[in-house]
Amino acid sequence: MGEEAHEYGRYRYAALLFELAAQDGHPGAWKHLVEFLEILGRADDATAIAQRSGQPHLLQELTELRNSIETITLAWTQRQWSGTAAPQPSAVELEMRRLQEAGRWDEAVEYAMNAAREGDIEGLEEALRLLEEAGQRERAEGIAISYTNIPYLLGDLVQMRVRAGDQAGAEQVALEAVNGGHPDALYELARVRESAGRPDEAKAIRRYGLTADGSPSAPW
């Protein structure tokens, strides 16, 4: 239940459920709670609870988690700003370009979707772009939300809409993804609110999650 609450952005209840489970003797609950608080940015609370848990290994695991997060963040930042040459297009992307240049964009989308079903996901970002440009927004949203194993697709679609000046459309797909349990949905919704000049709301969403009506939860 704690994991389900976490997935849907009900952070207040997730933390409560994890702590209740820990106090009741669930073997993995302290670890869940500590990791959960650390990822939310509540490092002091995570440390305090790891110390209170009576499980000495948790402090070591918390340190390892922090090192891992720092390593991943550094690698992501370096990749974003390294200025290295763009990777060569895959076979799927090359075939999609050929179909697009021939004016057969719908075939290009279908080609990408068929390749994804067989495990080759390289053309999905381009498929989203084509669907957005063609006005097939619901289909684009369906792909971005349903492929939860490729969570960055949601961010691609949200940012396409932000760049196009469609703030309402960007927020709509992010909220739909939250309702669908998409793992990156709250992060993307916070980015949309931030880009709309609402940084306090974005911070509250990242830290406390959402209420049922889509507004940020109160501090807890």
Side-chain angles (χ1 to χ4, degrees), residues 170-190:
E171 180 149 338
Q172 173 197 330
V173 70
L175 282 170
E176 287 183 9
V178 170
N179 289 332
H182 192 287
D184 281 7
L186 286 169
Y187 171 75
E188 293 301 337
L189 180 62

Side-chain angles (χ1 to χ4, degrees), residues 118-169:
E118 295 174 4
D120 191 336
I121 63 171
E122 295 298 329
L124 284 177
E125 292 173 83
E126 187 70 6
L128 283 180
R129 184 186 65 78
L130 288 172
L131 289 168
E132 278 289 288
E133 290 181 359
Q136 295 199 23
R137 294 165 63 90
E138 289 186 9
R139 192 174 175 198
E141 290 169 4
I143 293 171
I145 294 171
S146 64
Y147 277 86
T148 55
N149 59 322
I150 317 171
Y152 64 80
L153 289 176
L154 176 64
D156 288 345
L157 182 58
V158 167
Q159 292 308 307
M160 282 181 205
R161 294 185 177 180
V162 169
R163 288 192 296 270
D166 183 9
Q167 202 76 28

